[in-house]
Amino acid sequence: MDAQKSYCEVNDLTDAAEALRAIRHQIHQHPELAYEEVETGALVAHKLREWGYAVTTGVGKTGVVGTLKVGHGKRSIGIRADMDALPIVEETGLPYASRQPGKMHACGHDGHTTMLLGAAQYLANTRRFSGTVHLYFQPAEEHGVNSGARAMIEDGLFERFPCDAVFGMHNHPGMPPGTFLFRNGPFMSAGDKVFITIKGVGGHAARPHLTVDPVVAAASVVMALQTVVARNIDPTEPAVVTVGVLQAGTANNVISNSAKLELSVRSFSPAVREKLRQRITELVHDQAKSYGASAEIEYIMGYPVVVNSERETEFAIQVAQELVGPDKVVPHTGLLMGSEDFAYMLQQRPGCFLRLGNGEGEDGCMVHNPGYDFNDKNLPIGAAYWARLVERFLEP
């Protein structure tokens, strides 16, 4: 870094912190699910146009791209923020809690969007770079399949708004606010979904011998699935098989005709991913058959592994260390078993996905929780990081 040059500091965003909180709280009050981000997208587009960006809407259905070109630089950078909420009933009791029943920003995408808007305003005002900035405000990260990142890419994202590198950020509960976490190479796992229906023969609870009880078969499937990772996967390879849904029956004196299970399957290695698919499929069919039942399985290969490129990750680490100091940067954090559709973007362009501590204790409630809230302390920090990253990447 050239000591004579001036780059964005966190203090440069201090005066904007209150306005950023207002934007974040507005988005939080009006959460929109995957591919429903019409109001959020309109807010983003309005702000970007107000600050002088060229704005394109409807990218990947409800995505928004803001473009700002300064000077004659040939380089370009892409920065992504996700906008969608989750189908969760909010229980925070906050004055700005969700006004949409059954929907809430339980993963912090309201904060991600706001941080990038904060950087957008700062960059438009200061213009201390030479080149092109593309800001990708993405829908449907939480969709699980047919996600927003994939939809934007299929809609020509990188052909219409090309970049030399792409960057994304997610908050990280459990770490202090303002702490940045990085990992070169594989970082977040592939995430697959499995939908299982166990079919039996229903009847009266008092005459079980005349039925084929799918609940018993399903219970056996759940227990048997616990052996897949423990006994079929190399202990040195990370993998997770979680049964998130088990549903059957409507009354205690009725044996139902069927039971449903839904699984979340996580892995990093392609070989392990395929082994998990093979063993889960075999095990479910065999367990059901052993009880006289049958199984139908829909196995959906979801998001791929998030793989950060080395050069861009080292650059992103350096920018964080300059901004907040080495003590608040974890350059080589552990693998994360969560999944992220930003992985699709990293398959198309070199780049880095990073994490920003959301707080510990009451301030750091786990994501996808009815009591979760994004930590507003991070708004100026995250905005300053994106602004400085652009200034450094597109130095005149």
Side-chain angles (χ1 to χ4, degrees), residues 86 88-89 92 104 106 365-373:
L86 283 157
I88 294 176
V89 177
T92 63
M104 75 168 288
C365 178
M366 181 55 62
V367 293
H368 291 220
N369 183 298
Y372 170 86
D373 187 37

Side-chain angles (χ1 to χ4, degrees), residues 198 200-203 211-215 247-251 254-259:
I198 306 292
V201 178
T211 73
V212 175
D213 192 341
V215 174
Q247 298 174 339
T250 57
V254 176
I255 292 174
S256 65
N257 282 315
S258 65

Side-chain angles (χ1 to χ4, degrees), residues 77 79 167 315-316 319 384-394:
I77 185 173
I79 303 178
F167 297 85
F315 170 73
V319 172
Y385 178 79
W386 283 142
R388 190 183 188 100
L389 187 87
V390 170
E391 291 173 340
R392 294 278 280 103
F393 193 87
L394 301 177

Side-chain angles (χ1 to χ4, degrees), residues 27-54:
I27 296 173
H28 191 91
Q29 285 182 312
H30 303 282
E32 296 171 300
L33 303 182
Y35 296 121
E36 297 177 2
E37 307 91 343
V38 176
E39 188 173 333
T40 307
L43 171 65
V44 167
H46 172 74
K47 293 293 185 183
L48 292 174
R49 288 191 182 104
E50 188 176 63
W51 300 328
Y53 284 77

Side-chain angles (χ1 to χ4, degrees), residues 64-65 78-81 134-138 157-158 161 163 166:
V64 178
V65 177
I79 303 178
R80 172 271 213 171
H134 296 298
L135 307 181
Y136 308 138
F137 290 89
Q138 180 205 303
L157 179 70
F158 292 121
F161 314 100
C163 63
V166 64

Side-chain angles (χ1 to χ4, degrees), residues 93-115:
L94 293 166
Y96 53 86
S98 171
R99 295 181 180 178
Q100 306 298 324
K103 303 176 184 179
M104 75 168 288
H105 273 289
C107 204
H109 296 186
D110 51 340
H112 303 165
T113 295
T114 305
M115 289 189 297

Side-chain angles (χ1 to χ4, degrees), residues 120-138:
Q121 183 178 23
Y122 177 87
L123 290 168
N125 288 339
T126 58
R127 297 176 178 254
R128 295 187 303 196
F129 64 92
S130 181
T132 302
V133 179
H134 296 298
L135 307 181
Y136 308 138
F137 290 89
Q138 180 205 303

